[in-house]
Structures are given as C-alpha cells and as structure tokens.
Amino acid sequence: MKTFNEKLANWIHAVPATEAGINNIQVPGQPELLIWQTRYKEPTVYEQDFVQHLIKAFAAGVTELADLVQTLNQQGFRCESGELWTSESFSEEMQRLGY
C-alpha cells in the first residue's frame, strides 16, 4: 500500500494546464485508492515526532498559540534547527509543512 500520493509531487509548483487531465481519469471498477491522498512524500521522523508532541499538548487542553509554544519547549521538543520554539517559528513551520 502506498503511503503517499506520488502524483502530488509533480503538482507542487506546477502551472495549471489549459486542457483536461489526459491519462488521469479513473477507469470504472479500477480506482487507485490512496489512504494518504494529500501527501506528496512520506513524513520525516521529525514531522512524526512533531505530531506526537502536538497531540500531547492538545490532549492536555492547550488551545492558545503562546501556551502551545511553551508546552513544546517544556516537552523538550525543539525546532528542526534545534532552537526553542517561538510563536513566529511555530507559525512559519506550520506554513512550511502545509498546515
């Protein structure tokens, strides 16, 4: 089973075509079902760890950005660069990751 949609990688910075999607039409009874249709690559270890720390924070009732940043820092989870989180760096990371 595929863990990401290989076709999305080609569309990240693509210019929309003026014609219909040739060779992208599903054949009835033969659809390719992808669990992760919106992923263009598998998540990295850092991204998976990030998700786990966010889940812990949200499960603890954190709802505000400042509190979330503080909680991530208290958990010992750092930015990919190794720096402490700030509201700005968290927002930039969410934008980079596409959330």
Side-chain angles (χ1 to χ4, degrees):
M1 177 185 311
K2 294 181 182 176
T3 58
F4 64 96
N5 187 346
E6 296 167 348
K7 292 181 181 180
L8 287 181
N10 298 331
W11 289 94
I12 291 176
H13 300 290
V15 176
T18 56
E19 65 277 345
I22 298 171
N23 297 326
N24 268 334
I25 298 173
Q26 290 183 353
V27 177
Q30 300 175 11
E32 181 181 12
L33 302 176
L34 300 171
I35 293 175
W36 303 105
Q37 292 186 30
T38 58
R39 283 187 186 170
Y40 68 94
K41 65 176 183 66
E42 287 192 62
T44 64
V45 172
Y46 162 77
E47 292 167 350
Q48 292 173 359
D49 289 346
F50 196 3
V51 168
Q52 293 305 313
H53 283 87
L54 289 173
I55 289 171
K56 287 180 191 175
F58 294 140
V62 175
T63 58
E64 299 298 322
L65 178 58
D67 297 333
L68 180 57
V69 167
Q70 180 181 3
T71 300
L72 289 172
N73 289 329
Q74 287 173 346
Q75 290 174 350
F77 184 72
R78 302 290 183 252
C79 298
E80 199 166 23
S81 64
E83 298 176 21
L84 291 173
W85 289 101
T86 65
S87 295
E88 293 78 21
S89 65
F90 181 85
S91 297
E92 289 170 4
E93 188 67 346
M94 290 293 99
Q95 185 174 11
R96 182 184 77 82
L97 293 172
Y99 300 107

